[in-house]
mmCIF file of all heavy atoms in Angstrom:
data_model
loop_
_atom_site.group_PDB
_atom_site.id
_atom_site.type_symbol
_atom_site.label_atom_id
_atom_site.label_comp_id
_atom_site.label_asym_id
_atom_site.label_seq_id
_atom_site.Cartn_x
_atom_site.Cartn_y
_atom_site.Cartn_z
ATOM 1 N N MET A 1 -108.043 -136.574 132.187
ATOM 2 C CA MET A 1 -108.310 -136.322 130.765
ATOM 3 C C MET A 1 -107.416 -137.020 129.807
ATOM 4 O O MET A 1 -107.932 -137.388 128.785
ATOM 5 C CB MET A 1 -108.386 -134.787 130.706
ATOM 6 C CG MET A 1 -108.938 -134.403 129.306
ATOM 7 S SD MET A 1 -110.655 -134.657 129.084
ATOM 8 C CE MET A 1 -111.221 -133.340 128.107
ATOM 9 N N SER A 2 -106.232 -136.943 130.101
ATOM 10 C CA SER A 2 -105.285 -137.574 129.169
ATOM 11 C C SER A 2 -105.379 -139.068 129.055
ATOM 12 O O SER A 2 -105.135 -139.694 128.101
ATOM 13 C CB SER A 2 -103.828 -137.145 129.568
ATOM 14 O OG SER A 2 -103.450 -137.792 130.854
ATOM 15 N N VAL A 3 -105.808 -139.623 130.178
ATOM 16 C CA VAL A 3 -106.060 -141.125 130.177
ATOM 17 C C VAL A 3 -107.216 -141.518 129.308
ATOM 18 O O VAL A 3 -107.149 -142.457 128.530
ATOM 19 C CB VAL A 3 -106.310 -141.731 131.577
ATOM 20 C CG1 VAL A 3 -106.731 -143.117 131.571
ATOM 21 C CG2 VAL A 3 -105.112 -141.397 132.452
ATOM 22 N N VAL A 4 -108.326 -140.607 129.311
ATOM 23 C CA VAL A 4 -109.390 -140.893 128.488
ATOM 24 C C VAL A 4 -109.038 -140.717 127.004
ATOM 25 O O VAL A 4 -109.425 -141.500 126.130
ATOM 26 C CB VAL A 4 -110.554 -139.905 128.799
ATOM 27 C CG1 VAL A 4 -111.673 -140.017 127.892
ATOM 28 C CG2 VAL A 4 -111.014 -140.214 130.245
ATOM 29 N N MET A 5 -108.290 -139.712 126.705
ATOM 30 C CA MET A 5 -107.761 -139.455 125.344
ATOM 31 C C MET A 5 -106.963 -140.665 124.824
ATOM 32 O O MET A 5 -106.939 -141.017 123.661
ATOM 33 C CB MET A 5 -107.139 -138.158 125.171
ATOM 34 C CG MET A 5 -108.037 -136.939 125.349
ATOM 35 S SD MET A 5 -107.293 -135.296 125.329
ATOM 36 C CE MET A 5 -106.623 -135.360 123.568
ATOM 37 N N SER A 6 -106.084 -141.053 125.713
ATOM 38 C CA SER A 6 -105.260 -142.139 125.406
ATOM 39 C C SER A 6 -105.876 -143.523 125.103
ATOM 40 O O SER A 6 -105.699 -144.147 124.179
ATOM 41 C CB SER A 6 -104.183 -142.414 126.533
ATOM 42 O OG SER A 6 -103.323 -143.533 126.244
ATOM 43 N N ASN A 7 -106.958 -143.728 125.970
ATOM 44 C CA ASN A 7 -107.902 -144.886 125.755
ATOM 45 C C ASN A 7 -108.535 -144.846 124.406
ATOM 46 O O ASN A 7 -108.603 -145.790 123.709
ATOM 47 C CB ASN A 7 -108.696 -145.145 126.856
ATOM 48 C CG ASN A 7 -108.098 -145.650 128.163
ATOM 49 O OD1 ASN A 7 -106.975 -146.142 128.147
ATOM 50 N ND2 ASN A 7 -108.760 -145.548 129.223
ATOM 51 N N SER A 8 -109.018 -143.737 124.125
ATOM 52 C CA SER A 8 -109.720 -143.408 122.783
ATOM 53 C C SER A 8 -108.842 -143.683 121.657
ATOM 54 O O SER A 8 -109.210 -144.328 120.666
ATOM 55 C CB SER A 8 -110.372 -142.013 122.846
ATOM 56 O OG SER A 8 -110.946 -141.808 121.599
ATOM 57 N N GLN A 9 -107.597 -143.157 121.721
ATOM 58 C CA GLN A 9 -106.714 -143.399 120.661
ATOM 59 C C GLN A 9 -106.204 -144.893 120.532
ATOM 60 O O GLN A 9 -106.074 -145.397 119.452
ATOM 61 C CB GLN A 9 -105.345 -142.587 120.892
ATOM 62 C CG GLN A 9 -104.407 -142.626 119.726
ATOM 63 C CD GLN A 9 -103.175 -141.642 119.917
ATOM 64 O OE1 GLN A 9 -103.050 -141.140 121.152
ATOM 65 N NE2 GLN A 9 -102.380 -141.491 118.955
ATOM 66 N N VAL A 10 -106.112 -145.582 121.626
ATOM 67 C CA VAL A 10 -105.893 -146.995 121.566
ATOM 68 C C VAL A 10 -106.969 -147.784 120.880
ATOM 69 O O VAL A 10 -106.770 -148.624 120.027
ATOM 70 C CB VAL A 10 -105.504 -147.605 123.009
ATOM 71 C CG1 VAL A 10 -105.511 -149.072 123.043
ATOM 72 C CG2 VAL A 10 -104.231 -147.006 123.533
ATOM 73 N N ARG A 11 -108.194 -147.457 121.217
ATOM 74 C CA ARG A 11 -109.362 -148.088 120.644
ATOM 75 C C ARG A 11 -109.366 -147.826 119.162
ATOM 76 O O ARG A 11 -109.709 -148.685 118.380
ATOM 77 C CB ARG A 11 -110.647 -147.635 121.285
ATOM 78 C CG ARG A 11 -110.897 -148.162 122.744
ATOM 79 C CD ARG A 11 -112.199 -147.761 123.313
ATOM 80 N NE ARG A 11 -112.352 -148.147 124.625
ATOM 81 C CZ ARG A 11 -113.060 -147.510 125.474
ATOM 82 N NH1 ARG A 11 -113.783 -146.390 125.206
ATOM 83 N NH2 ARG A 11 -113.100 -147.890 126.722
ATOM 84 N N SER A 12 -109.220 -146.616 118.720
ATOM 85 C CA SER A 12 -109.185 -146.197 117.418
ATOM 86 C C SER A 12 -108.136 -146.997 116.649
ATOM 87 O O SER A 12 -108.384 -147.457 115.573
ATOM 88 C CB SER A 12 -108.998 -144.708 117.289
ATOM 89 O OG SER A 12 -109.047 -144.314 115.883
ATOM 90 N N SER A 13 -106.879 -147.071 117.190
ATOM 91 C CA SER A 13 -105.806 -147.857 116.524
ATOM 92 C C SER A 13 -106.110 -149.258 116.436
ATOM 93 O O SER A 13 -105.860 -149.824 115.349
ATOM 94 C CB SER A 13 -104.610 -147.608 117.345
ATOM 95 O OG SER A 13 -104.156 -146.297 117.269
ATOM 96 N N ALA A 14 -106.814 -149.787 117.388
ATOM 97 C CA ALA A 14 -107.119 -151.280 117.420
ATOM 98 C C ALA A 14 -108.106 -151.446 116.345
ATOM 99 O O ALA A 14 -108.041 -152.407 115.582
ATOM 100 C CB ALA A 14 -107.608 -151.635 118.767
ATOM 101 N N SER A 15 -109.100 -150.615 116.232
ATOM 102 C CA SER A 15 -110.148 -150.769 115.223
ATOM 103 C C SER A 15 -109.613 -150.702 113.886
ATOM 104 O O SER A 15 -109.905 -151.575 112.899
ATOM 105 C CB SER A 15 -111.186 -149.719 115.246
ATOM 106 O OG SER A 15 -111.888 -149.854 116.575
ATOM 107 N N LEU A 16 -108.682 -149.871 113.575
ATOM 108 C CA LEU A 16 -108.020 -149.688 112.340
ATOM 109 C C LEU A 16 -107.152 -150.777 112.012
ATOM 110 O O LEU A 16 -107.152 -151.405 110.795
ATOM 111 C CB LEU A 16 -107.154 -148.445 112.308
ATOM 112 C CG LEU A 16 -107.888 -147.115 112.132
ATOM 113 C CD1 LEU A 16 -106.987 -145.942 112.214
ATOM 114 C CD2 LEU A 16 -108.700 -146.977 110.864
ATOM 115 N N ALA A 17 -106.508 -151.455 112.932
ATOM 116 C CA ALA A 17 -105.660 -152.667 112.709
ATOM 117 C C ALA A 17 -106.649 -153.739 112.363
ATOM 118 O O ALA A 17 -106.247 -154.612 111.399
ATOM 119 C CB ALA A 17 -104.836 -152.965 113.906
ATOM 120 N N VAL A 18 -107.786 -154.087 113.047
ATOM 121 C CA VAL A 18 -108.614 -155.100 112.737
ATOM 122 C C VAL A 18 -109.214 -154.942 111.369
ATOM 123 O O VAL A 18 -109.350 -155.894 110.544
ATOM 124 C CB VAL A 18 -109.785 -155.158 113.804
ATOM 125 C CG1 VAL A 18 -110.838 -156.116 113.420
ATOM 126 C CG2 VAL A 18 -109.229 -155.621 115.237
ATOM 127 N N MET A 19 -109.702 -153.692 111.062
ATOM 128 C CA MET A 19 -110.169 -153.417 109.745
ATOM 129 C C MET A 19 -109.155 -153.764 108.578
ATOM 130 O O MET A 19 -109.544 -154.242 107.581
ATOM 131 C CB MET A 19 -110.766 -151.995 109.599
ATOM 132 C CG MET A 19 -111.518 -151.783 108.333
ATOM 133 S SD MET A 19 -112.845 -152.909 108.318
ATOM 134 C CE MET A 19 -114.182 -151.796 108.096
ATOM 135 N N ASP A 20 -107.908 -153.374 108.852
ATOM 136 C CA ASP A 20 -106.848 -153.716 107.894
ATOM 137 C C ASP A 20 -106.699 -155.243 107.754
ATOM 138 O O ASP A 20 -106.579 -155.657 106.520
ATOM 139 C CB ASP A 20 -105.570 -153.033 108.388
ATOM 140 C CG ASP A 20 -104.528 -153.203 107.360
ATOM 141 O OD1 ASP A 20 -104.754 -152.863 106.164
ATOM 142 O OD2 ASP A 20 -103.258 -153.512 107.695
ATOM 143 N N ASN A 21 -106.761 -155.895 108.828
ATOM 144 C CA ASN A 21 -106.667 -157.412 108.727
ATOM 145 C C ASN A 21 -107.824 -157.915 107.933
ATOM 146 O O ASN A 21 -107.685 -158.876 107.038
ATOM 147 C CB ASN A 21 -106.623 -158.152 110.041
ATOM 148 C CG ASN A 21 -105.183 -157.925 110.707
ATOM 149 O OD1 ASN A 21 -104.282 -157.477 110.024
ATOM 150 N ND2 ASN A 21 -105.243 -158.141 112.027
ATOM 151 N N VAL A 22 -109.101 -157.428 108.237
ATOM 152 C CA VAL A 22 -110.246 -157.919 107.434
ATOM 153 C C VAL A 22 -110.158 -157.576 105.988
ATOM 154 O O VAL A 22 -110.410 -158.505 105.140
ATOM 155 C CB VAL A 22 -111.576 -157.274 108.108
ATOM 156 C CG1 VAL A 22 -112.696 -157.486 107.137
ATOM 157 C CG2 VAL A 22 -111.790 -157.678 109.461
ATOM 158 N N MET A 23 -109.667 -156.472 105.641
ATOM 159 C CA MET A 23 -109.494 -156.096 104.318
ATOM 160 C C MET A 23 -108.490 -157.011 103.529
ATOM 161 O O MET A 23 -108.675 -157.499 102.327
ATOM 162 C CB MET A 23 -109.172 -154.681 104.095
ATOM 163 C CG MET A 23 -110.186 -153.664 104.409
ATOM 164 S SD MET A 23 -109.823 -151.935 104.459
ATOM 165 C CE MET A 23 -109.041 -151.776 102.827
ATOM 166 N N ASP A 24 -107.401 -157.381 104.259
ATOM 167 C CA ASP A 24 -106.331 -158.292 103.684
ATOM 168 C C ASP A 24 -107.007 -159.658 103.426
ATOM 169 O O ASP A 24 -106.658 -160.244 102.329
ATOM 170 C CB ASP A 24 -105.215 -158.278 104.585
ATOM 171 C CG ASP A 24 -104.331 -157.080 104.559
ATOM 172 O OD1 ASP A 24 -104.499 -156.303 103.722
ATOM 173 O OD2 ASP A 24 -103.523 -156.863 105.576
ATOM 174 N N VAL A 25 -107.694 -160.135 104.291
ATOM 175 C CA VAL A 25 -108.222 -161.544 104.214
ATOM 176 C C VAL A 25 -109.344 -161.443 103.080
ATOM 177 O O VAL A 25 -109.359 -162.438 102.249
ATOM 178 C CB VAL A 25 -108.965 -161.947 105.561
ATOM 179 C CG1 VAL A 25 -109.850 -163.152 105.359
ATOM 180 C CG2 VAL A 25 -107.952 -162.201 106.554
ATOM 181 N N ALA A 26 -110.126 -160.432 102.939
ATOM 182 C CA ALA A 26 -111.173 -160.320 101.856
ATOM 183 C C ALA A 26 -110.358 -160.334 100.497
ATOM 184 O O ALA A 26 -110.816 -160.877 99.494
ATOM 185 C CB ALA A 26 -111.972 -159.121 102.093
ATOM 186 N N GLU A 27 -109.343 -159.574 100.461
ATOM 187 C CA GLU A 27 -108.586 -159.566 99.218
ATOM 188 C C GLU A 27 -108.003 -160.911 98.805
ATOM 189 O O GLU A 27 -108.093 -161.252 97.701
ATOM 190 C CB GLU A 27 -107.474 -158.544 99.306
ATOM 191 C CG GLU A 27 -106.727 -158.204 98.052
ATOM 192 C CD GLU A 27 -105.627 -157.148 98.205
ATOM 193 O OE1 GLU A 27 -105.477 -156.629 99.214
ATOM 194 O OE2 GLU A 27 -104.932 -156.978 97.111
ATOM 195 N N GLN A 28 -107.486 -161.555 99.836
ATOM 196 C CA GLN A 28 -106.903 -162.894 99.524
ATOM 197 C C GLN A 28 -107.921 -163.804 99.035
ATOM 198 O O GLN A 28 -107.772 -164.688 98.232
ATOM 199 C CB GLN A 28 -106.235 -163.471 100.806
ATOM 200 C CG GLN A 28 -104.893 -162.695 101.119
ATOM 201 C CD GLN A 28 -104.288 -163.198 102.471
ATOM 202 O OE1 GLN A 28 -104.953 -164.040 103.167
ATOM 203 N NE2 GLN A 28 -103.212 -162.645 102.856
ATOM 204 N N GLN A 29 -109.137 -163.790 99.743
ATOM 205 C CA GLN A 29 -110.215 -164.776 99.347
ATOM 206 C C GLN A 29 -110.610 -164.423 97.946
ATOM 207 O O GLN A 29 -111.061 -165.363 97.217
ATOM 208 C CB GLN A 29 -111.355 -164.628 100.368
ATOM 209 C CG GLN A 29 -111.014 -165.225 101.665
ATOM 210 C CD GLN A 29 -112.121 -165.063 102.789
ATOM 211 O OE1 GLN A 29 -112.936 -164.134 102.472
ATOM 212 N NE2 GLN A 29 -112.136 -165.861 103.781
ATOM 213 N N GLY A 30 -110.805 -163.105 97.533
ATOM 214 C CA GLY A 30 -111.170 -162.725 96.210
ATOM 215 C C GLY A 30 -110.177 -163.178 95.151
ATOM 216 O O GLY A 30 -110.563 -163.769 94.187
ATOM 217 N N LEU A 31 -108.840 -163.092 95.516
ATOM 218 C CA LEU A 31 -107.935 -163.605 94.441
ATOM 219 C C LEU A 31 -108.025 -165.142 94.378
ATOM 220 O O LEU A 31 -107.891 -165.798 93.352
ATOM 221 C CB LEU A 31 -106.499 -163.280 94.985
ATOM 222 C CG LEU A 31 -106.183 -161.696 94.917
ATOM 223 C CD1 LEU A 31 -104.919 -161.439 95.461
ATOM 224 C CD2 LEU A 31 -106.213 -161.223 93.374
ATOM 225 N N GLN A 32 -108.192 -165.825 95.509
ATOM 226 C CA GLN A 32 -108.413 -167.284 95.413
ATOM 227 C C GLN A 32 -109.578 -167.725 94.754
ATOM 228 O O GLN A 32 -109.577 -168.714 93.943
ATOM 229 C CB GLN A 32 -108.414 -167.826 96.872
ATOM 230 C CG GLN A 32 -107.085 -167.713 97.664
ATOM 231 C CD GLN A 32 -107.189 -168.311 99.070
ATOM 232 O OE1 GLN A 32 -108.406 -168.399 99.595
ATOM 233 N NE2 GLN A 32 -106.085 -168.370 99.757
ATOM 234 N N LEU A 33 -110.626 -166.933 94.852
ATOM 235 C CA LEU A 33 -111.844 -167.316 94.067
ATOM 236 C C LEU A 33 -111.597 -167.087 92.661
ATOM 237 O O LEU A 33 -112.168 -167.857 91.809
ATOM 238 C CB LEU A 33 -113.075 -166.430 94.588
ATOM 239 C CG LEU A 33 -114.338 -166.512 93.917
ATOM 240 C CD1 LEU A 33 -114.920 -167.896 94.110
ATOM 241 C CD2 LEU A 33 -115.365 -165.586 94.394
ATOM 242 N N MET A 34 -111.011 -165.992 92.143
ATOM 243 C CA MET A 34 -110.633 -165.714 90.870
ATOM 244 C C MET A 34 -109.785 -166.897 90.224
ATOM 245 O O MET A 34 -110.078 -167.385 89.211
ATOM 246 C CB MET A 34 -110.051 -164.422 90.609
ATOM 247 C CG MET A 34 -110.985 -163.264 90.819
ATOM 248 S SD MET A 34 -110.186 -161.564 90.791
ATOM 249 C CE MET A 34 -109.292 -161.628 89.264
ATOM 250 N N GLU A 35 -108.762 -167.364 91.025
ATOM 251 C CA GLU A 35 -107.989 -168.417 90.515
ATOM 252 C C GLU A 35 -108.696 -169.727 90.378
ATOM 253 O O GLU A 35 -108.566 -170.331 89.358
ATOM 254 C CB GLU A 35 -106.821 -168.662 91.583
ATOM 255 C CG GLU A 35 -105.795 -167.527 91.525
ATOM 256 C CD GLU A 35 -104.762 -167.828 92.590
ATOM 257 O OE1 GLU A 35 -104.714 -168.810 93.224
ATOM 258 O OE2 GLU A 35 -103.834 -166.889 92.773
ATOM 259 N N MET A 36 -109.638 -169.949 91.425
ATOM 260 C CA MET A 36 -110.388 -171.221 91.324
ATOM 261 C C MET A 36 -111.304 -171.156 90.103
ATOM 262 O O MET A 36 -111.578 -172.102 89.384
ATOM 263 C CB MET A 36 -111.237 -171.318 92.547
ATOM 264 C CG MET A 36 -112.091 -172.613 92.557
ATOM 265 S SD MET A 36 -113.062 -172.734 94.160
ATOM 266 C CE MET A 36 -114.193 -171.423 93.967
ATOM 267 N N MET A 37 -111.908 -169.963 89.728
ATOM 268 C CA MET A 37 -112.874 -169.866 88.704
ATOM 269 C C MET A 37 -112.100 -170.084 87.293
ATOM 270 O O MET A 37 -112.699 -170.499 86.357
ATOM 271 C CB MET A 37 -113.612 -168.531 88.673
ATOM 272 C CG MET A 37 -114.614 -168.404 89.851
ATOM 273 S SD MET A 37 -115.447 -166.862 89.964
ATOM 274 C CE MET A 37 -116.458 -166.887 88.547
ATOM 275 N N GLN A 38 -110.927 -169.551 87.286
ATOM 276 C CA GLN A 38 -110.091 -169.719 85.988
ATOM 277 C C GLN A 38 -109.753 -171.189 85.847
ATOM 278 O O GLN A 38 -109.516 -171.553 84.713
ATOM 279 C CB GLN A 38 -108.846 -168.855 86.069
ATOM 280 C CG GLN A 38 -109.313 -167.336 85.923
ATOM 281 C CD GLN A 38 -108.140 -166.499 86.236
ATOM 282 O OE1 GLN A 38 -107.032 -166.938 86.452
ATOM 283 N NE2 GLN A 38 -108.148 -165.166 85.935
ATOM 284 N N GLU A 39 -109.662 -171.944 86.842
ATOM 285 C CA GLU A 39 -109.165 -173.269 86.710
ATOM 286 C C GLU A 39 -110.197 -174.330 86.499
ATOM 287 O O GLU A 39 -109.984 -175.497 86.180
ATOM 288 C CB GLU A 39 -108.441 -173.723 88.125
ATOM 289 C CG GLU A 39 -107.159 -173.029 88.292
ATOM 290 C CD GLU A 39 -106.528 -173.366 89.589
ATOM 291 O OE1 GLU A 39 -107.172 -174.164 90.232
ATOM 292 O OE2 GLU A 39 -105.444 -172.902 89.969
ATOM 293 N N THR A 40 -111.354 -173.865 86.443
ATOM 294 C CA THR A 40 -112.519 -174.754 86.203
ATOM 295 C C THR A 40 -112.499 -175.275 84.852
ATOM 296 O O THR A 40 -112.077 -174.707 83.901
ATOM 297 C CB THR A 40 -113.953 -174.122 86.452
ATOM 298 O OG1 THR A 40 -114.011 -172.995 85.627
ATOM 299 C CG2 THR A 40 -114.076 -173.682 87.904
ATOM 300 N N VAL A 41 -112.939 -176.578 84.621
ATOM 301 C CA VAL A 41 -112.940 -177.253 83.428
ATOM 302 C C VAL A 41 -114.178 -176.739 82.582
ATOM 303 O O VAL A 41 -115.307 -176.656 83.086
ATOM 304 C CB VAL A 41 -113.184 -178.814 83.574
ATOM 305 C CG1 VAL A 41 -113.229 -179.516 82.284
ATOM 306 C CG2 VAL A 41 -111.995 -179.291 84.473
ATOM 307 N N PRO A 42 -113.917 -176.383 81.353
ATOM 308 C CA PRO A 42 -115.082 -175.857 80.679
ATOM 309 C C PRO A 42 -116.121 -177.000 80.511
ATOM 310 O O PRO A 42 -115.884 -178.100 80.352
ATOM 311 C CB PRO A 42 -114.478 -175.540 79.247
ATOM 312 C CG PRO A 42 -113.164 -176.122 79.198
ATOM 313 C CD PRO A 42 -112.693 -176.455 80.636
ATOM 314 N N ALA A 43 -117.487 -176.525 80.311
ATOM 315 C CA ALA A 43 -118.526 -177.517 80.010
ATOM 316 C C ALA A 43 -118.446 -178.267 78.770
ATOM 317 O O ALA A 43 -117.761 -177.800 77.829
ATOM 318 C CB ALA A 43 -119.766 -176.665 80.169
ATOM 319 N N HIS A 44 -119.097 -179.352 78.718
ATOM 320 C CA HIS A 44 -119.108 -180.151 77.544
ATOM 321 C C HIS A 44 -119.718 -179.413 76.404
ATOM 322 O O HIS A 44 -120.710 -178.805 76.592
ATOM 323 C CB HIS A 44 -119.806 -181.496 77.815
ATOM 324 C CG HIS A 44 -119.612 -182.471 76.770
ATOM 325 N ND1 HIS A 44 -120.403 -182.528 75.664
ATOM 326 C CD2 HIS A 44 -118.815 -183.573 76.651
ATOM 327 C CE1 HIS A 44 -119.977 -183.545 74.804
ATOM 328 N NE2 HIS A 44 -118.954 -184.145 75.584
ATOM 329 N N PRO A 45 -119.101 -179.434 75.258
ATOM 330 C CA PRO A 45 -119.528 -178.506 74.071
ATOM 331 C C PRO A 45 -120.977 -178.797 73.669
ATOM 332 O O PRO A 45 -121.618 -177.980 73.219
ATOM 333 C CB PRO A 45 -118.657 -178.741 73.023
ATOM 334 C CG PRO A 45 -117.864 -179.950 73.361
ATOM 335 C CD PRO A 45 -117.913 -180.227 74.873
ATOM 336 N N THR A 46 -121.522 -180.026 73.808
ATOM 337 C CA THR A 46 -122.937 -180.323 73.374
ATOM 338 C C THR A 46 -123.924 -180.461 74.553
ATOM 339 O O THR A 46 -125.052 -180.577 74.380
ATOM 340 C CB THR A 46 -122.971 -181.651 72.625
ATOM 341 O OG1 THR A 46 -122.419 -182.719 73.395
ATOM 342 C CG2 THR A 46 -121.949 -181.572 71.311
ATOM 343 N N LEU A 47 -123.448 -180.315 75.682
ATOM 344 C CA LEU A 47 -124.261 -180.368 76.980
ATOM 345 C C LEU A 47 -125.242 -179.227 76.926
ATOM 346 O O LEU A 47 -124.922 -178.105 76.916
ATOM 347 C CB LEU A 47 -123.428 -180.313 78.186
ATOM 348 C CG LEU A 47 -124.190 -180.643 79.448
ATOM 349 C CD1 LEU A 47 -124.629 -182.156 79.440
ATOM 350 C CD2 LEU A 47 -123.286 -180.465 80.651
ATOM 351 N N GLY A 48 -126.585 -179.621 77.032
ATOM 352 C CA GLY A 48 -127.600 -178.578 77.019
ATOM 353 C C GLY A 48 -128.103 -178.073 75.654
ATOM 354 O O GLY A 48 -128.874 -177.160 75.686
ATOM 355 N N ASN A 49 -127.506 -178.640 74.635
ATOM 356 C CA ASN A 49 -127.972 -178.290 73.357
ATOM 357 C C ASN A 49 -129.334 -178.815 72.899
ATOM 358 O O ASN A 49 -130.070 -178.316 72.069
ATOM 359 C CB ASN A 49 -127.033 -178.421 72.312
ATOM 360 C CG ASN A 49 -125.721 -177.469 72.455
ATOM 361 O OD1 ASN A 49 -125.857 -176.470 73.051
ATOM 362 N ND2 ASN A 49 -124.653 -177.952 71.831
ATOM 363 N N GLN A 50 -129.723 -179.916 73.457
ATOM 364 C CA GLN A 50 -130.842 -180.735 73.059
ATOM 365 C C GLN A 50 -131.732 -180.989 74.297
ATOM 366 O O GLN A 50 -131.118 -181.199 75.317
ATOM 367 C CB GLN A 50 -130.555 -181.985 72.489
ATOM 368 C CG GLN A 50 -129.733 -181.874 71.140
ATOM 369 C CD GLN A 50 -129.401 -183.198 70.549
ATOM 370 O OE1 GLN A 50 -129.526 -184.306 71.208
ATOM 371 N NE2 GLN A 50 -128.966 -183.254 69.318
ATOM 372 N N ILE A 51 -132.958 -180.948 74.138
ATOM 373 C CA ILE A 51 -133.983 -181.250 75.202
ATOM 374 C C ILE A 51 -134.823 -182.369 74.727
ATOM 375 O O ILE A 51 -135.488 -182.332 73.661
ATOM 376 C CB ILE A 51 -134.909 -180.011 75.553
ATOM 377 C CG1 ILE A 51 -133.963 -178.829 75.890
ATOM 378 C CG2 ILE A 51 -135.876 -180.256 76.575
ATOM 379 C CD1 ILE A 51 -134.687 -177.513 76.189
ATOM 380 N N ASP A 52 -135.002 -183.441 75.601
ATOM 381 C CA ASP A 52 -135.846 -184.483 75.309
ATOM 382 C C ASP A 52 -137.190 -184.142 75.880
ATOM 383 O O ASP A 52 -137.405 -183.936 77.055
ATOM 384 C CB ASP A 52 -135.312 -185.774 75.860
ATOM 385 C CG ASP A 52 -134.102 -186.324 75.256
ATOM 386 O OD1 ASP A 52 -133.758 -186.022 74.119
ATOM 387 O OD2 ASP A 52 -133.263 -187.073 75.963
ATOM 388 N N VAL A 53 -138.176 -184.138 75.021
ATOM 389 C CA VAL A 53 -139.660 -183.737 75.315
ATOM 390 C C VAL A 53 -140.489 -184.897 74.905
ATOM 391 O O VAL A 53 -140.598 -185.363 73.720
ATOM 392 C CB VAL A 53 -140.093 -182.547 74.813
ATOM 393 C CG1 VAL A 53 -141.449 -182.184 75.106
ATOM 394 C CG2 VAL A 53 -139.092 -181.424 75.100
ATOM 395 N N LYS A 54 -141.079 -185.632 75.849
ATOM 396 C CA LYS A 54 -142.032 -186.659 75.582
ATOM 397 C C LYS A 54 -143.438 -186.383 76.149
ATOM 398 O O LYS A 54 -143.542 -185.924 77.177
ATOM 399 C CB LYS A 54 -141.600 -187.971 76.308
ATOM 400 C CG LYS A 54 -140.241 -188.504 75.789
ATOM 401 C CD LYS A 54 -139.824 -189.849 76.458
ATOM 402 C CE LYS A 54 -138.560 -190.323 75.975
ATOM 403 N NZ LYS A 54 -138.042 -191.462 76.588
ATOM 404 N N LEU A 55 -144.356 -186.525 75.174
ATOM 405 C CA LEU A 55 -145.705 -186.242 75.678
ATOM 406 C C LEU A 55 -146.580 -187.458 75.897
ATOM 407 O O LEU A 55 -146.449 -188.409 75.343
ATOM 408 C CB LEU A 55 -146.463 -185.288 74.618
ATOM 409 C CG LEU A 55 -145.718 -183.898 74.450
ATOM 410 C CD1 LEU A 55 -146.476 -183.245 73.300
ATOM 411 C CD2 LEU A 55 -145.928 -183.131 75.709
#
């Protein structure tokens, strides 16, 4: 019985460790995405203001 409980505790601990790693990676990726979005060059100020329509 104690072996079964020990195995269950090991599995639970391993699952928590994996989930912790996944959360850390997701947080890092989110921060990198935010940095990348802040570094983007703003669009040209007149781009998209006029539309050429020919009939």
Side-chain angles (χ1 to χ4, degrees):
M1 186 69 151
S2 66
V3 173
V4 172
M5 289 177 63
S6 178
N7 285 343
S8 176
Q9 186 176 7
V10 168
R11 285 183 188 155
S12 180
S13 296
S15 294
L16 288 174
V18 169
M19 189 57 128
D20 187 40
N21 286 342
V22 168
M23 288 174 52
D24 288 343
V25 168
E27 182 179 1
Q28 289 174 357
Q29 287 177 342
L31 291 174
Q32 289 173 348
L33 179 62
M34 287 176 55
E35 288 175 8
M36 184 179 68
M37 291 176 69
Q38 290 174 352
E39 293 175 1
T40 58
V41 178
H44 193 276
T46 60
L47 189 64
N49 290 337
Q50 297 178 350
I51 300 174
D52 292 336
V53 179
K54 295 182 181 180
L55 298 175

